[in-house]
Amino acid sequence: MDKKVLIADQINEKGIDELKDIAEVVPNFTISNEELLKVIKDFDAIIVRSRTKVTREVIEASDKLKIIARAGVGVDNVDVQAATERGIMVINAPESTSITVAEHTMGLILALSRKIAIADSSVKSGKWEKGRFMGIELNGKTLGVIGMGRIGSQVVTRSKAFGMDTIVYDPYITKKTASELGVTVVDLETLIKESDVMTIHVPLTPETKYLISKPQFEMMKENAFIVNCARGGIINEDDLYDALSTDEIRGAGLDVFENEPPKNSKLLELDNVVLTPHIAASTSEAQRDAAIIVANEIKKVFKGISPKNVINMPVLDPETFNLIKPYFALIEKIGKFMIQTAKGNINEIDVTYCGELSEFPKHDILTRMILQEVLNPILNEPVNLVNATTVAENRGIIVTEGKRYDAKGYKSLIKVEMKSDYNDVSVEGIFTHQQPRIVMINGYKVDVEPEGTMLISKYKDKPGIIGSIGTKIGEHNINIAKMQVGRKELGGEAVMVLKVDQIVPEFVILEIKKLEDVHDAVAVNL
Ligand code: NAD
């Protein structure tokens, strides 16, 4: 066997067995970093959990290393950047913990509904307080699931076994996925108001930070429970404490905290909380599955088949890289623009490469880059050039790529069209004078440098509307730096792009939308 795999942290035996027919497997679960530096040059792959640190130094000391595999989800102990620079794949097993976390979620829900944790400490303290621990049944109750990814979907399946009615809030899932899982998709406010139990399964992003705070607790049913096995910081813990201590809600189950461990948290004083130390993913089955998944991924690579869970990007050959590099900045801006203007689940993304660019090789890299920009802000798993197409496919997004010789008078042009449940967005961009520019938005001709904060409004083309939008912005002390207007016909619908010096808050957008003859407004930050 010419391939050698180093197993640097203890993983499940089944993962090791998977590899034995294809490679020489060297388990060394206590290897030190100094030893690793000496031996790494002999290995084609290394498997770690969280003990071993695969640093830049280790990566640079390697010679034929092709894969760094993390038998688990997070890759904090691997220098992914250094690996990418050396063309070494970093793979993980993101799906290995989904069932485990879903089961823990159900565990917290049951612990809350039947007061198991507090009843347990009461019995252990010698008491027999049968009357104190009256619980509630889950049967017939409404479960609200925020985030319907890998873990959220597993929770939904399990909640059905408990006879719960399930509603879901996830603006990014397709109708097809929702109907396959047989769930009702609602908006966040409806979910909050109607849930007897609310459970969170979204990544922590700027959009989900403090997603559940005072106003949301005020909307919740008095008897509702909330559970968070996702990430600390999605729930505002001070507001949660207030809601729990004033009986605004019935209870909370938390596996994750803003600061871990939550040493001085006031939540520790309360009876109506059940807390676990970030162990939702800790089961032997999850560890076994992680080991088997990464072993199979390594086998695929050794056999020349593309693995599924690569989290870094491949190195392009220099010639292709130089040809397409100028378009990276344009693609990044178009992707960011699209995801900030799309409403609801994305169903379709069509990319057309026009002019000279249509003759270049490796368009798929640019398309993947758009998918990366569009999907990364909404998913927990890192989306990169290697897995972007698979992730889009798994989410039911239809991606098409086209080529057109005509580039409307430009040397090259990229057109991206995105269809979501509630709107279609189309953007055309060029790269000129070393700068990306957006030249068309939804069929309206513009010439915009995609940089900074913009307010995009659609309105009826008639005197006074531009002024009323400008006045509204001025009222809130927001300075306009530049203005661009596009229209198809006199008196029809027009689009205005205002470059502004400050972020336009959501309440100002709402006020603009209410102005007469304004059809839509959205703020975009590029
Ligand atoms: P995933 O990427 O498969 O799914 C995330 C889902 O959230 C996606 O469907 C996405 O569309 C949705 N989403 C994104 N932004 C949203 C928003 N603003 N509102 C509503 N929905 C939104 O992720 P996953 O593997 O299911 O993981 C979910 C969470 O669980 C993550 O935060 C992850 O870090 C956490 N997690 C915790 C543990 C633990 O030990 N407690 C273990 C594994 C994962």
Side-chain angles (χ1 to χ4, degrees):
M1 268 181 271
D2 63 335
K3 300 279 190 263
K4 264 181 107 172
V5 181
L6 173 64
I7 311 204
D9 289 339
Q10 179 120 37
I11 63 162
N12 188 281
E13 210 44 50
K14 288 213 159 58
I16 302 178
D17 292 346
E18 281 291 332
L19 284 166
K20 282 186 177 155
D21 59 336
I22 196 160
E24 183 190 335
V25 182
V26 181
N28 185 346
F29 306 148
T30 51
I31 191 164
S32 68
N33 256 32
E34 293 74 54
E35 272 178 90
L36 186 58
L37 277 170
K38 281 187 210 144
V39 302
I40 193 70
K41 62 179 183 339
D42 300 329
F43 290 93
D44 300 272
I46 176 171
I47 301 182
V48 298
R49 282 184 55 214
S50 47
R51 187 195 68 94
T52 303
K53 311 277 175 261
V54 189
T55 58
R56 181 174 281 276
E57 234 188 329
V58 170
I59 289 165
E60 285 174 356
S62 71
D63 179 26
K64 49 185 184 164
L65 195 66
K66 292 204 180 40
I67 312 154
I68 300 165
R70 159 76 167 101
V73 186
V75 286
D76 304 347
N77 53 326
V78 177
D79 190 329
V80 179
Q81 180 61 32
T84 306
E85 286 167 20
R86 292 285 293 246
I88 298 170
M89 289 181 201
V90 180
I91 61 175
N92 67 346
E95 65 275 47
S96 59
T97 58
S98 308
I99 291 177
T100 283
V101 177
E103 287 187 1
H104 194 80
T105 304
M106 295 314 291
L108 287 181
I109 295 174
L110 285 167
L112 286 166
S113 62
R114 304 308 303 270
K115 306 187 177 170
I116 291 174
I118 183 162
D120 171 77
S121 37
S122 157
V123 175
K124 283 179 182 158
S125 71
K127 296 181 192 145
W128 194 252
E129 306 172 287
K130 277 173 80 81
R132 192 180 150 204
F133 303 118
M134 183 63 71
I136 58 151
E137 272 188 3
L138 296 181
N139 186 41
K141 299 291 186 305
T142 299
L143 175 72
V145 180
I146 303 181
M148 186 66 170
R150 285 179 295 244
I151 297 168
S153 343
Q154 294 291 347
V155 171
V156 167
T157 312
R158 278 145 190 82
S159 69
K160 288 189 176 158
F162 282 92
M164 300 185 86
D165 297 321
T166 311
I167 52 176
V168 165
Y169 167 66
D170 187 331
Y172 306 110
I173 58 161
T174 61
K175 279 185 179 152
K176 189 167 156 257
T177 312
S179 75
E180 274 167 9
L181 278 156
V183 290
T184 310
V185 181
V186 295
D187 58 49
L188 183 60
E189 193 172 324
T190 309
L191 182 135
I192 293 170
K193 286 182 174 160
E194 291 186 2
S195 298
D196 298 300
V197 182
M198 214 161 90
T199 179
I200 299 172
H201 302 287
V202 293
L204 176 65
T205 64
E207 197 190 347
T208 60
K209 172 96 184 165
Y210 293 153
L211 185 70
I212 307 298
S213 301
K214 190 174 167 48
Q216 288 70 36
F217 288 120
E218 282 170 1
M219 275 189 257
M220 281 174 74
K221 283 186 182 174
E222 239 176 46
N223 286 325
F225 294 121
I226 185 165
V227 170
N228 185 9
C229 285
R231 281 287 174 266
I234 299 171
I235 294 180
N236 181 320
E237 287 173 13
D238 288 336
D239 294 348
L240 173 64
Y241 174 83
D242 291 343
L244 286 165
S245 53
T246 56
D247 290 331
E248 201 163 18
I249 63 169
R250 194 199 290 253
L254 306 178
D255 182 54
V256 287
F257 305 86
E258 221 172 329
N259 296 307
E260 294 182 358
K263 268 191 187 139
N264 299 316
S265 171
K266 290 184 286 178
L267 292 169
L268 306 184
E269 301 158 11
L270 299 174
D271 274 351
N272 49 353
V273 291
V274 179
L275 311 176
T276 52
H278 205 143
I279 51 160
S282 307
T283 61
S284 46
E285 288 81 359
Q287 283 178 12
R288 176 201 61 203
D289 291 351
I292 296 173
I293 290 168
V294 293
N296 281 315
E297 292 283 69
I298 291 174
K299 273 170 105 172
K300 276 195 205 160
V301 178
F302 286 169
K303 287 181 184 164
I305 304 166
S306 289
K308 196 171 81 172
N309 297 324
V310 186
I311 67 141
N312 59 343
M313 59 179 194
V315 179
L316 290 171
D317 65 86
E319 203 186 330
T320 313
F321 183 79
N322 287 335
L323 267 179
I324 61 175
K325 189 172 179 253
Y327 294 93
F328 289 179
L330 173 64
I331 287 284
E332 182 202 325
K333 299 293 182 182
I334 292 183
K336 286 201 163 82
F337 184 95
M338 300 295 268
I339 192 63
Q340 291 178 56
T341 48
K343 291 181 186 157
N345 352 317
I346 304 158
N347 297 311
E348 215 176 303
I349 299 177
D350 305 318
V351 192
T352 313
Y353 298 97
C354 310
E356 269 184 18
L357 187 54
S358 66
E359 310 283 324
F360 288 4
K362 299 266 183 199
H363 290 119
D364 63 314
I365 296 281
L366 294 175
T367 306
R368 283 159 190 253
M369 216 171 235
I370 294 178
L371 297 179
Q372 174 183 305
E373 290 302 328
V374 166
L375 296 172
N376 250 332
I378 60 171
L379 293 183
N380 182 48
E381 62 190 299
V383 183
N384 58 47
L385 296 191
V386 183
N387 67 2
T389 319
T390 324
V391 174
E393 212 176 272
N394 290 345
R395 296 184 66 81
I397 301 171
I398 300 165
V399 181
T400 58
E401 235 179 41
K403 289 186 192 178
R404 214 172 52 201
Y405 185 70
D406 174 36
K408 303 183 175 176
Y410 300 108
K411 217 164 105 189
S412 288
L413 178 140
I414 300 176
K415 176 174 185 179
V416 186
E417 292 167 284
M418 192 156 95
K419 296 193 169 97
S420 57
D421 274 359
Y422 302 107
N423 68 345
D424 295 352
V425 184
S426 101
V427 169
E428 294 178 27
I430 59 167
F431 187 78
T432 179
H433 299 102
Q434 305 302 314
Q435 293 280 340
R437 294 202 83 82
I438 289 181
V439 294
M440 192 79 92
I441 297 175
N442 290 345
Y444 297 95
K445 224 172 164 188
V446 291
D447 181 15
V448 176
E449 180 200 354
E451 199 60 62
T453 306
M454 294 184 230
L455 174 78
I456 322 239
S457 331
K458 269 200 252 170
Y459 58 96
K460 185 173 165 55
D461 178 38
K462 70 176 209 188
I465 310 295
I466 294 178
S468 68
I469 297 174
T471 309
K472 185 56 74 190
I473 299 262
E475 274 171 19
H476 293 285
N477 243 349
I478 297 167
N479 194 41
I480 299 173
K482 264 188 199 158
M483 187 183 105
Q484 272 277 321
V485 178
R487 66 179 183 194
K488 288 180 191 161
E489 55 185 354
L490 183 70
E493 193 175 62
V495 70
M496 175 165 68
V497 182
L498 291 180
K499 286 198 82 173
V500 286
D501 292 334
Q502 289 97 344
I503 303 270
V504 187
E506 195 49 40
F507 74 92
V508 179
I509 304 276
L510 289 175
E511 286 179 20
I512 293 170
K513 280 185 181 171
K514 282 186 194 148
L515 292 171
E516 201 184 332
D517 287 323
V518 172
H519 303 160
D520 199 8
V522 63
V524 175
N525 197 7
L526 302 175

